[in-house]
Amino acid sequence: MPSRDGLHPCLRDALLAAVTLPKFKVRWFTEEGRREAARALLTTECRSAPGGVEPGASHQEYAASYSTSAEKDFFAFDEMEGDTASLNSETEVIDYFKSGSELAVLSRFPNTKRIFLKYNTATPSSAPVERLFSLGSLVLTPRRNRLSDKLFERLLLMRYNHCFSDK
């Protein structure tokens, strides 16, 4: 069932996981339209992120929503005190895409970092692995007992990742 942006939830989650990884961002898209759609998706997700910074927040509110009190004291610079320029999700996403490809870049973009952690964190449960083994038993039936390892792997991945196909 497509979500409000017209994407299947699996595809939407995979896109957000890839786009928030600084090494990939939108570099792997060949069409400009897809890059813009990914930027819009990340901007929308930043706006709706729980605990996110609301559009129009000052630089101090932006830093306060992300930093602990010890970090605020240590990283308090005089030039930030007078800066009341509004930061919103759109400028955060634009600045994120212009930044470097190191993972440490995420510390400057709190909403993007929250999304990165949400979509790129391993599940601490064995349920997905059990689901994969269950699908394996559906693929490797007694009639298919002579499948090569490579063909079995392809069939299993096709079955498990069916939500990514265009149908």
Side-chain angles (χ1 to χ4, degrees):
M1 176 178 193
S3 61
R4 65 187 176 279
D5 48 23
L7 295 172
H8 193 282
C10 292
L11 182 58
R12 183 178 179 283
D13 293 353
L15 276 172
L16 285 169
V19 168
T20 56
L21 193 62
K23 187 172 184 165
F24 297 132
K25 295 182 183 175
V26 290
R27 292 182 184 103
W28 52 284
F29 286 118
T30 55
E31 300 171 19
E32 189 60 33
R34 288 185 179 227
R35 287 178 186 214
E36 289 303 318
R39 284 185 185 120
L41 179 65
L42 183 58
T43 303
T44 304
E45 188 71 16
C46 277
R47 285 186 187 130
S48 63
V53 179
E54 295 297 321
S58 71
H59 205 308
Q60 292 152 341
E61 291 169 331
Y62 183 74
S65 70
Y66 177 69
S67 303
T68 64
S69 59
E71 288 176 333
K72 280 189 260 182
D73 292 338
F74 181 77
F75 292 109
F77 298 108
D78 292 334
E79 67 251 15
M80 288 178 68
E81 297 294 336
D83 185 16
T84 57
S86 295
L87 294 176
N88 61 25
S89 301
E90 201 165 326
T91 54
E92 179 179 339
V93 170
I94 290 169
D95 291 344
Y96 166 69
F97 284 125
K98 289 179 182 177
S99 65
S101 60
E102 310 81 39
L103 200 55
V105 164
L106 287 172
S107 63
R108 295 186 308 192
F109 308 102
N111 290 333
T112 306
K113 185 175 181 177
R114 273 190 205 92
I115 296 165
F116 169 81
L117 291 173
K118 178 180 177 183
Y119 291 103
N120 288 301
T121 304
T123 309
S125 168
S126 62
V129 175
E130 290 174 15
R131 198 173 307 122
L132 184 64
F133 280 118
S134 177
L135 280 175
S137 67
L138 295 174
V139 171
L140 191 62
T141 62
R143 288 186 157 196
R144 290 181 167 176
N145 65 357
R146 293 188 181 174
L147 288 176
S148 68
D149 292 343
K150 202 164 204 76
L151 183 58
F152 172 70
E153 182 179 354
R154 286 182 184 167
L155 288 170
L156 186 61
L157 287 174
M158 284 175 54
R159 183 123 186 190
Y160 193 74
N161 295 327
H162 72 281
C163 62
F164 295 113
S165 68
D166 291 335
K167 292 184 185 178

